Amino acid sequence: MNPIVVVVHGGGASNISKERKERVRQGILKAATVGYNILKQGGSAVDAVEGAVTVLEDDPEFNAGCGSVLNENGEVEMDASIMNGKDLSAGAVSAVRCIANPIKLARLVMDKTPHCFLTDQGAAKFAAANGIPTIPGQQLVTERNKKRLEKEKLEKDAQKADCQKNLGTVGAVAVDCQGNVAYATSTGGIVNKMLGRVGDTPCIGSGGYADNNIGAVSTTGHGESILKVNLARLALFHVEQGKSLEEAADASLGHMKSKVKGVGGIIMVNKAGEWAVKWTSTSMPWAAAKDGKLHSGIDVGDTSIIDLS
């Protein structure tokens, strides 16, 4: 039996206010616990990452699902992807509107079509054909994100967008008892983005990657920067070259920072049950469950460990 592990992230962040910190921490702990329980009951790594990310999409504290940031028209357009390290099967969706859980739609693309990636109206048609209910777009819009959009529009007139501000994504990686690895990543994108803008999250190799022979990665950060360096696959390339997961995460994040001045974060696992969590943004909420223990943190140097009952 392989060691089972699930690691989740709630997105890189420039800073998380004191009043939000506890809610964010609880959300991330819940997601990791749900994913870990799926693995404990014999579920697959794919089931676990989908389950963990669904929890975060349903939590308005995170930039995915019902907490998604708004585009220039004040609307929610979401991206998500998922991948199975056993056979490299993958599913992704982009510019998705009016559904609660884009990650579930990405999973259906992987399982039920010969394709890897569906977008916009095609994704909507496929969702309807597979019984995924639509919800009013306004149901995904939070007051906090309305205010963020207003603020961003005011500031954007004054200065160029700061890539440190727009780093929210959610993601999960897991290894199951069969030694299969998987990743899932989901996001609402960046505040005040152009209509139809797609970032790294649904792009296999940038927003995440999973291969049983190497490991699984989910990324977060400035999407355009992540796309330019193919961050997830780059991290696994370093593992293939003999680096540890931590060294690989540091090297790829360092490359992105020096090459395109992009910041972000990475979570990784391999089938041996090793895991790593690294970021260059100010903070990144994360949690990892292994051997009945739940590790978590938000800022550098603030790690707590609790027993999973």
Side-chain angles (χ1 to χ4, degrees):
M1 288 281 275
N2 287 71
I4 58 170
V5 185
V6 66
V7 188
V8 299
H9 71 73
S14 42
N15 53 12
I16 297 172
S17 64
K18 275 207 178 85
E19 43 114 16
R20 280 189 60 226
K21 244 179 196 164
E22 196 43 44
R23 297 198 297 271
V24 167
R25 193 185 298 277
Q26 289 310 315
I28 218 82
L29 292 174
K30 182 182 174 188
T33 304
V34 165
Y36 190 68
N37 285 338
I38 289 169
L39 295 175
K40 270 207 319 201
Q41 286 151 19
S44 69
V46 171
D47 292 336
V49 294
E50 181 189 5
V53 166
T54 298
V55 169
L56 296 170
E57 286 178 338
D58 291 341
D59 188 329
E61 290 301 327
F62 300 95
N63 177 15
C66 72
S68 292
V69 296
L70 309 180
N71 67 13
E72 61 187 359
N73 292 350
E75 299 159 341
V76 167
E77 285 186 305
M78 301 166 289
D79 306 330
S81 64
I82 191 165
M83 187 171 188
N84 186 348
K86 184 181 180 179
D87 58 3
L88 305 192
S89 57
V93 292
S94 68
V96 168
R97 297 161 173 260
C98 302
I99 66 167
N101 298 111
I103 200 63
K104 291 186 177 179
L105 186 56
R107 171 82 187 263
L108 284 170
V109 172
M110 176 170 82
D111 290 348
K112 298 201 168 192
T113 80
H115 306 311
C116 287
F117 198 150
L118 292 179
T119 190
D120 198 10
Q121 292 163 339
K125 192 177 167 189
F126 175 70
N130 281 276
I132 290 194
T134 56
I135 57 173
Q138 284 305 108
Q139 226 170 285
L140 297 167
V141 176
T142 63
E143 280 306 313
R144 187 165 72 89
N145 281 320
K146 281 186 194 167
K147 287 183 183 135
R148 281 175 79 182
L149 180 63
E150 281 166 30
K151 186 166 177 265
E152 184 69 15
K153 284 190 185 249
L154 287 172
E155 285 176 9
K156 211 159 195 170
D157 294 336
Q159 66 193 56
K160 199 166 174 285
D162 172 10
C163 78
Q164 251 282 62
K165 277 194 300 217
N166 282 311
L167 305 172
T169 331
V170 303
V173 291
V175 54
D176 62 29
C177 61
Q178 307 288 316
N180 297 314
V181 301
Y183 94 83
T185 311
S186 180
T187 191
I190 60 179
V191 185
N192 201 27
K193 63 185 179 181
M194 286 173 68
L195 194 65
R197 176 265 186 192
V198 174
D200 67 291
T201 296
C203 298
I204 311 299
S206 292
Y209 202 82
D211 180 338
N212 280 5
N213 294 335
I214 327 164
V217 186
S218 171
T219 66
T220 178
H222 181 239
E224 282 70 12
S225 299
I226 292 173
L227 278 166
K228 287 170 190 172
V229 300
N230 236 341
L231 186 63
R233 195 61 188 81
L234 179 63
L236 290 178
F237 167 77
H238 285 301
V239 174
E240 287 176 292
Q241 300 301 304
K243 287 187 167 70
S244 71
L245 296 186
E246 295 217 339
E247 290 166 346
D250 277 337
S252 48
L253 286 167
H255 174 76
M256 182 167 81
K257 201 168 187 178
S258 64
K259 199 85 178 162
V260 292
K261 299 185 172 60
V263 296
I266 283 178
I267 55 174
M268 296 179 85
V269 289
N270 63 19
K271 66 178 179 187
E274 296 167 328
W275 58 275
V277 174
K278 291 278 174 179
W279 64 94
T280 47
S281 48
T282 309
S283 54
M284 183 180 79
W286 65 273
K290 182 185 176 182
D291 298 333
K293 302 251 185 246
L294 189 54
H295 308 248
S296 67
I298 292 179
D299 300 310
V300 174
D302 111 49
T303 304
S304 63
I305 305 173
I306 56 173
D307 285 318
L308 278 160
S309 48

